[in-house]
Amino acid sequence: MRVTRPMLALGGAVAILALAGCGSGGGHEAAVPEAVTGSLEHIAAEAECKPNMQTDADTIRQAICKKGEEKYVLATFATDRGQREWLNSAKDYGGYYLVGRKWVAVGQEKTVMALQSTLGGTMEEGSEHMNPGGSHNKGGHHG
C-alpha cells in the first residue's frame, strides 16, 4: 500500500491531538532567533531532543520529542508545498504549530513557544472549531 500525503497528514494530526492537550495562556514574548534549517536530526539536536522516529518517508519525516515532561511532534518535509499541504490539513484539528523552512513542531502552546526561542520560526494556531467552549485556540489570544 502506498502512503499518500493525506494519509500522512491525518496520521500526524491524530498523533498531534494525542500529544497537544491544552496549553497555558499568556506569557512574555522574547526575541525570536532566525529559524534553524536542516535535517530532522539537526533540528532535534538544536532543540536538545533525542527524536523517537514515527514516520520516515520520502516526503515527510516525523518524530516525537520531549521537552521536560511535555511531548511534541517534530516533522520535516521534502518540499515547501508538502509542508503547507500538511499544515492546512493538520490545522483542522486545532493545536499550536511552530513553523520553519520545511519543518514544523507541534504541541502545547507553552512547549511550542519555548521551542521558538531556540529554533526560531513563526507561531500558527489550528482551527478554533475543533475546540468548542473553553478552547485554548480562541481568537485574539496572541495580541
Side-chain angles (χ1 to χ4, degrees):
M1 180 174 161
R2 185 170 163 232
V3 178
T4 63
R5 284 187 191 152
M7 291 169 58
L8 288 171
L10 180 59
V14 170
I16 291 161
L17 286 174
L19 295 174
C22 287
S24 64
H28 64 287
E29 293 187 28
V32 177
E34 184 174 331
V36 299
T37 58
S39 68
L40 186 137
E41 291 80 5
H42 174 76
I43 296 166
E46 291 288 328
E48 298 179 359
C49 156
K50 181 178 177 190
N52 178 359
M53 292 300 293
Q54 302 296 305
T55 304
D56 194 356
D58 291 339
T59 57
I60 183 174
R61 299 184 73 220
Q62 184 172 295
I64 296 175
C65 287
K66 287 182 76 174
K67 183 163 186 72
E69 294 298 313
E70 304 296 330
K71 292 182 181 178
Y72 62 95
V73 173
L74 181 60
T76 57
F77 303 87
T79 65
D80 294 322
R81 180 178 175 183
Q83 175 187 21
R84 184 47 50 191
E85 288 174 353
W86 183 91
L87 271 167
N88 290 343
S89 296
K91 286 170 70 176
D92 286 344
Y93 296 92
Y96 293 91
Y97 301 78
L98 180 61
V99 181
R101 176 97 200 291
K102 296 185 184 176
W103 62 265
V104 175
V106 186
Q108 290 186 9
E109 181 181 24
K110 65 182 177 181
T111 304
V112 176
M113 287 182 76
L115 285 170
Q116 189 178 32
S117 65
T118 303
L119 300 179
T122 58
M123 290 287 295
E124 296 186 22
E125 285 188 46
S127 175
E128 184 176 335
H129 78 272
M130 288 304 292
N131 302 298
S135 167
H136 60 268
N137 285 342
K138 289 192 183 220
H141 185 71
H142 288 293

